[in-house]
Amino acid sequence: MSLVAQVIAAAVMLLHVYIFLLETALFQTRGRKVFGISKEHAVVLAPAMSNQGCYNGFLAAALALGFVLPNAATAQAFTVFGLVCVAIAGVWGAATVNRRILFVQTVPAVLGLGALVLS
């Protein structure tokens, strides 16, 4: 995997660690501010956001495996899987929640996939 692909995959992974934290441990404080949710609404949404945060954590974990697995082919397969899942989740989020998600999640994931193909 090229250095460019590694840097992009690492950035996508770190973004999803941050999203995981915003949607789980930090949802009632920093998370609700980032997502523009009132304190009252955050109380109602907290369980669903925590569940959603777990999924973002799993995306980050798949990408992390791409960096730590000793077999290069298996590691690259996890990276591809993680980036494809992020891209699809970003499209779904853009269609159902906020179009900005397309640019925050999908575009970097697709760039990472492109860098992988070119490497």
Side-chain angles (χ1 to χ4, degrees):
M1 184 170 19
S2 73
L3 180 60
V4 172
Q6 288 179 344
V7 168
I8 295 171
V12 172
M13 179 190 70
L14 292 173
L15 172 65
H16 281 77
V17 168
Y18 178 63
I19 294 169
F20 163 76
L21 291 171
L22 286 176
E23 293 175 341
T24 57
L26 303 175
F27 183 67
Q28 297 288 342
T29 55
R30 176 88 180 124
R32 74 176 180 82
K33 291 176 187 167
V34 168
F35 298 122
I37 298 169
S38 70
K39 194 172 193 175
E40 296 77 25
H41 201 167
V43 170
V44 174
L45 287 177
M49 292 300 286
S50 182
N51 184 55
Q52 182 173 307
C54 284
Y55 289 102
N56 280 299
F58 296 142
L59 294 174
L63 291 167
L65 286 170
F67 288 102
V68 300
L69 291 173
N71 180 286
T74 304
Q76 185 162 335
F78 269 96
T79 301
V80 169
F81 174 75
L83 290 173
V84 167
C85 288
V86 167
I88 293 168
V91 169
W92 185 255
T96 60
V97 178
N98 186 323
R99 193 168 37 189
R100 183 179 61 164
I101 295 171
L102 187 71
F103 301 102
V104 173
Q105 285 184 246
T106 302
V107 169
V110 170
L111 290 174
L113 289 166
L116 273 171
V117 168
L118 294 174
S119 67

